[in-house]
Amino acid sequence: MAENIFDFGMIGLGVMGRNFLLNMADHGFSVIGFDKDAAKNSALEGAATPGTTVKGVSELAEMISLLKRPRNVMMLVPAGQPVDDVIASLLPLLEKGDVIIDGGNSHYTDTLRRVKYLREKEIHFMGIGVSGGEEGARRGPSIMPGGDLLAYENVRPMLEAVAAKVDGTPCVAYLGKEGAGHYVKMVHNGIEYAIMQLISESYAILKAAGLSNQKIQDTFKTWNEGKLKSFLVEITADIFLQKDDKTDAYLVDVISDKAGSKGTGKWTSQDSMELPVAVPVIDTAVAMRTLSGYKDERVQAAALYTQAAAADLPEQELIDLVYDALYFATILSYAQGLAMLFQASKDLQMDIPLPEVVSVWRGGCIIRSSLLPVFVEAYKQNPELSNILLNQEVAALVKSAEGKTRELIAYAVKAGIPSAGLMSALGYFDAYKSERMPTNLIQAQRDYFGAHTYQRIDIPGTFHTEWGQQ
């Protein structure tokens, strides 16, 4: 085979890597993949659409030798040391001007380090977030590139071709300098954690009221036809249809309630505190997954503490309350994540364009929803909007659901149904819209026991009081 005939190379031919390459090949690009597992190379070639140019190899040097210059090489390998190991193996094979792309869920600080390291070697490096799962990678994901702008322009036609399309617009855009692509994907995943937690709490409330799986399925299906239309609501409806192949039960009822995670939600929570930006719904979602792992203790506690009885509400009235509360809290989840991106863009000097971020999220990704076009319009009106809750159109949506949200949370609290995510959303909202918070007392306490000083509302400057001297 002649040298230099392939447009794009992929390292790691798991399902995501394979599907991404097949997607690219379907759009007319010649692609080559590397994996040490020969079976994965065969699976790549076997799944290719007839007439496309797709090859799998088991030697990295062979793949590099077959790529057109400048070479475009993407990794889809586990975050952490494996990424550094791949880079180390690539460097002897690459030339100045070649492009390395990390398409995994790396922490942005690792991406910053790699950008700097490879820049010194005159190799372009990009961190890009890819959302949409296996099907998205094959049919059109949401792609969040950041880092080297020259590298982005080099691969832009390929990324635009494979990305999901909304109204003909590709769901990909350059999202900022250095580690911005992975930072945006991290926050995307934090929002994903939050919304999944909110949906699970909504399910718990409906289940506690005695609704059958079929009724809950009908409810989520109906919700997905209205203002709650989103990928996560859509798949939730599908989940309630699935029967277990080992019993006669619905599958959801035999799945353990210990939830797993891969760390990106935790990173969002941790990094928000570094800025600092308040993201309590995301924090709560992370904490609830951790708490779900305390299964043995929860079983003991359930026997020790009496469960309150839920109030008797007409079924449709309860469904309407949950509908509005989920809508309200979902908006708050986006608001917190986007506020984090706004602050990170400035403090970390990544120049993240929020209008492009929400536009990219409209299709292909896990958190796509009918709310995103609303946010696009909000940022069109003010690209420097620090929090979408300050936009009048968004505020109208929030206010329309506020009353029923309060009713639903009161109902859940009285019934003892875990609803920490919904409560966190309302707590954030109440604090955010408070012209004056009671934290003046906290400042007084801090100055009392630690001489941490305080500021006044009537006189400029910093003050300290010798408390208790009257």
Side-chain angles (χ1 to χ4, degrees), residues 259-295:
S261 64
K262 291 188 176 179
T264 46
K266 179 180 71 175
W267 289 346
T268 310
S269 184
Q270 290 172 331
D271 288 326
S272 73
M273 296 179 189
E274 293 294 328
L275 286 171
V277 172
V279 293
V281 186
I282 297 172
D283 296 338
T284 299
V286 174
M288 289 302 102
R289 290 202 191 184
T290 301
L291 188 55
S292 77
Y294 302 169
K295 180 65 175 182

Side-chain angles (χ1 to χ4, degrees), residues 81 110 153 223 264 294 354:
Q81 189 60 45
D110 287 335
E153 290 301 331
W223 287 355
T264 46
Y294 302 169
L354 289 179

Side-chain angles (χ1 to χ4, degrees), residues 217 220-221 224 231-243 250:
Q217 191 276 330
F220 274 93
K221 185 175 184 295
N224 195 52
F231 174 74
L232 285 171
V233 169
E234 176 186 346
I235 68 167
T236 301
D238 288 346
I239 285 168
F240 286 106
L241 287 176
Q242 188 73 39
K243 284 295 191 77
Y250 283 95

Side-chain angles (χ1 to χ4, degrees), residues 405-428:
T405 299
R406 295 186 186 280
E407 289 182 48
L408 189 278
I409 290 174
Y411 170 92
V413 169
K414 289 179 181 178
I417 303 170
S419 50
L422 293 167
M423 289 190 282
S424 293
L426 184 60
Y428 174 92

Side-chain angles (χ1 to χ4, degrees), residues 168-404:
T169 302
C171 291
V172 59
Y174 180 71
L175 297 184
K177 299 186 296 185
E178 309 295 10
H182 279 144
Y183 200 98
V184 170
K185 179 57 163 54
M186 176 186 74
V187 173
H188 163 288
N189 285 18
I191 296 170
E192 178 185 308
Y193 270 56
I195 297 173
M196 291 172 72
Q197 176 64 27
L198 297 170
I199 290 174
S200 74
E201 292 177 7
S202 300
Y203 154 63
I205 293 168
L206 296 174
K207 192 76 170 175
L211 273 69
S212 67
N213 284 340
Q214 183 60 58
K215 181 61 180 181
I216 296 174
Q217 191 276 330
D218 291 341
T219 298
F220 274 93
K221 185 175 184 295
T222 300
W223 287 355
N224 195 52
E225 296 166 356
K227 63 184 182 181
L228 273 175
K229 182 177 176 60
S230 68
F231 174 74
L232 285 171
V233 169
E234 176 186 346
I235 68 167
T236 301
D238 288 346
I239 285 168
F240 286 106
L241 287 176
Q242 188 73 39
K243 284 295 191 77
D244 179 27
D245 60 2
K246 298 176 177 60
T247 69
D248 291 331
Y250 283 95
L251 182 57
V252 69
D253 292 333
V254 297
I255 293 177
S256 168
D257 62 346
K258 293 182 180 180
S261 64
K262 291 188 176 179
T264 46
K266 179 180 71 175
W267 289 346
T268 310
S269 184
Q270 290 172 331
D271 288 326
S272 73
M273 296 179 189
E274 293 294 328
L275 286 171
V277 172
V279 293
V281 186
I282 297 172
D283 296 338
T284 299
V286 174
M288 289 302 102
R289 290 202 191 184
T290 301
L291 188 55
S292 77
Y294 302 169
K295 180 65 175 182
D296 292 342
E297 294 176 43
R298 290 192 288 113
V299 170
Q300 294 177 55
L304 184 61
Y305 296 98
T306 304
Q307 178 72 25
D312 187 16
L313 277 182
E315 184 177 276
Q316 191 56 50
E317 182 179 339
L318 178 62
I319 289 172
D320 291 344
L321 292 181
V322 177
Y323 180 66
D324 271 17
L326 179 56
Y327 186 65
F328 174 95
T330 298
I331 295 173
L332 269 291
S333 300
Y334 282 112
Q336 291 170 24
L338 291 169
M340 182 174 172
L341 289 178
F342 175 85
Q343 197 62 44
S345 177
K346 294 181 177 298
D347 290 2
L348 303 178
Q349 300 179 330
M350 290 190 292
D351 297 338
I352 299 171
L354 289 179
E356 281 79 1
V357 169
V358 291
S359 182
V360 163
W361 287 349
R362 289 181 304 155
C365 79
I366 302 301
I367 63 170
R368 63 185 184 266
S369 83
S370 59
L371 281 166
L372 288 163
V374 178
F375 302 156
V376 169
E377 290 303 315
Y379 285 118
K380 280 183 180 178
Q381 295 172 28
N382 181 6
E384 292 301 310
L385 190 63
S386 60
N387 192 309
I388 58 169
L389 296 179
L390 299 176
N391 174 266
Q392 288 191 356
E393 286 75 15
V394 174
L397 298 178
V398 171
K399 288 188 284 188
S400 72
E402 178 187 351
K404 288 185 179 178

